[in-house]
């Protein structure tokens, strides 16, 4: 697994290559990270990577040539043909299923735009996938790229101490794409609130059932759209549906 980033701020990627679980996995050689600065592929004394937009308007637009040359060098260094991903507000919404898909592949080249955007001709010719983290705008693609790298790398075998940790994550397919259940640790009583008895019981079947119900409860409350998606995929059991029906009836009786 290898990620490459075309970026004007390569030092930002030290965060994932040197820190936390992704940094440890990077040192262990589980994944690789390379950055390519478009300024290194300019030909003028000022190392110009942007220019004014045709048609007028505020801001500057990143030039296609430095990006093209940087991408060519990245692909040649890799020796394969990975996805070339542009972080863009116009892109597909990034989600856990996309992270899982990328985790099963060779990685990707991430194109981090800046200023008002990138010359569309580079996008049309070289970008194979556009991704967005949500309906908001960042100063550049680096922060979004860091989030994508982190979400993908943590799914690789050997990255997390417990291989089952990722399977319990919110949105993971193993959890029907629902939100994760609440978690508790020591002390048993904190500011008058006790850990639920079932988690202290040692009865794994009851604990598993409780966690599933809490996952359903939280998802109904916060993200009901995920319940409907899981239902359409046929991933809700009869027990799930009975619990959801009981929740709906209880809410109705309480006037919610």
């Amino acid at each position: 697994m290898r990620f490459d980033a075309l970026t004007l701020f390569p030092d930002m990627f030290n965060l994932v290559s040197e820190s936390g679980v992704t940094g440890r996995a990077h040192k262990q050689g589980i994944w690789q990270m390379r950055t390519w600065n478009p300024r290194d592929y300019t030909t003028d004394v000022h190392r110009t990577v942007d220019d004014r937009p045709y048609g007028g308007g505020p801001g500057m637009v990143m030039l296609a040539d430095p990006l093209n040359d940087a991408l060519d060098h990245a692909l040649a260094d890799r020796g394969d043909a990975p996805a070339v991903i542009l972080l863009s507000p116009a892109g597909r919404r990034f989600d856990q299923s996309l992270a899982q898909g990328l985790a099963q592949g060779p990685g990707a080249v991430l194109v981090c735009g800046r200023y008002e955007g990138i010359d569309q001709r580079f996008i049309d010719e070289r970008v194979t996938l556009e991704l967005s983290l949500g309906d908001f705008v960042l100063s550049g693609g680096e922060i979004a790229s860091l989030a994508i790298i982190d979400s993908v790398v943590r799914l690789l075998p050997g990255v997390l101490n417990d291989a089952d940790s990722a399977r319990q994550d919110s949105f993971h397919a193993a959890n029907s794409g629902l939100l994760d259940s609440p978690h508790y640790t020591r002390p048993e009583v904190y500011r008058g609130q006790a850990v639920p008895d079932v988690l202290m019981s040692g009865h794994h079947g009851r604990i598993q059932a409780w966690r599933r119900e809490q996952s359903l409860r939280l998802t109904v409350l916060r993200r009901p759209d995920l319940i409907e998606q899981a239902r359409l995929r046929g991933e809700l059991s009869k027990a799930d549906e009975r619990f959801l029906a009981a929740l709906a009836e209880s809410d109705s009786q309480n006037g919610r």
Side-chain angles (χ1 to χ4, degrees):
M1 165 70 67
R2 170 172 160 172
F3 279 103
D4 293 73
L6 274 55
T7 172
L8 298 177
F9 300 95
D11 289 348
M12 293 182 70
F13 289 86
N14 294 340
L15 182 64
V16 287
S17 64
E18 298 180 3
S19 304
V21 295
T22 58
R24 183 176 67 240
H26 187 263
K27 292 174 184 176
Q28 293 172 344
I30 296 175
W31 73 288
Q32 298 176 297
M33 179 81 234
R34 287 289 307 273
T35 57
W36 307 84
N37 192 334
R39 290 196 190 279
D40 295 335
Y41 301 92
T42 56
T43 57
D44 67 308
V45 67
H46 300 294
R47 304 177 75 200
T48 304
V49 293
D50 61 333
D51 207 338
R52 294 176 180 175
Y54 279 116
M60 305 289 277
V61 177
M62 291 188 73
L63 296 165
D65 256 354
L67 288 168
N68 263 315
D69 290 345
L71 179 57
D72 285 341
H73 279 79
L75 294 176
D77 190 71
R78 288 181 62 106
D80 60 358
V84 177
I85 298 173
L86 172 66
L87 287 306
S88 163
R92 173 182 171 184
R93 180 75 64 90
F94 184 72
D95 58 20
Q96 189 67 22
S97 65
L98 272 171
Q100 290 169 214
L102 286 171
Q104 296 170 6
V109 177
L110 302 168
V111 181
C112 304
R114 281 274 162 175
Y115 315 121
E116 285 299 307
I118 292 174
D119 191 308
Q120 185 64 38
R121 291 166 293 188
F122 172 83
I123 299 173
D124 292 342
E125 291 185 11
R126 307 302 302 272
V127 172
T128 59
L129 177 64
E130 294 185 53
L131 292 178
S132 169
L133 294 191
D135 296 341
F136 55 93
V137 177
L138 298 169
S139 299
E142 286 81 8
I143 292 176
S145 293
L146 293 172
I148 288 173
I149 292 171
D150 184 273
S151 67
V152 172
V153 170
R154 68 189 307 279
L155 297 176
L156 299 178
V159 173
L160 300 180
N161 290 329
D162 188 333
D164 287 332
S165 292
R167 292 175 57 83
Q168 295 181 8
D169 287 343
S170 295
F171 313 116
H172 198 284
N175 193 34
S176 305
L178 307 180
L179 300 180
D180 193 9
S181 61
H183 298 279
Y184 299 84
T185 188
R186 296 173 181 170
E188 292 181 24
V189 178
Y190 179 70
R191 295 188 176 182
Q193 296 187 56
V195 174
D197 290 339
V198 64
L199 298 180
M200 308 290 292
S201 69
H203 192 295
H204 296 298
R206 288 178 54 203
I207 292 172
Q208 185 177 5
W210 181 87
R211 284 176 170 160
R212 179 65 174 186
E213 290 177 353
Q214 295 305 306
S215 174
L216 291 164
R217 184 193 301 274
L218 184 61
T219 307
V220 165
L221 180 64
R222 304 282 180 84
R223 291 290 304 276
D225 58 303
L226 298 178
I227 293 288
E228 292 306 316
Q229 292 172 24
R231 181 175 285 130
L232 289 172
R233 293 192 301 267
E235 295 178 357
L236 298 183
S237 67
K238 292 182 179 179
D240 291 339
E241 294 290 8
R242 285 195 298 269
F243 180 76
L244 291 170
L247 273 182
E249 182 177 355
S250 175
D251 288 345
S252 177
Q253 291 174 354
N254 292 327
R256 295 180 184 175

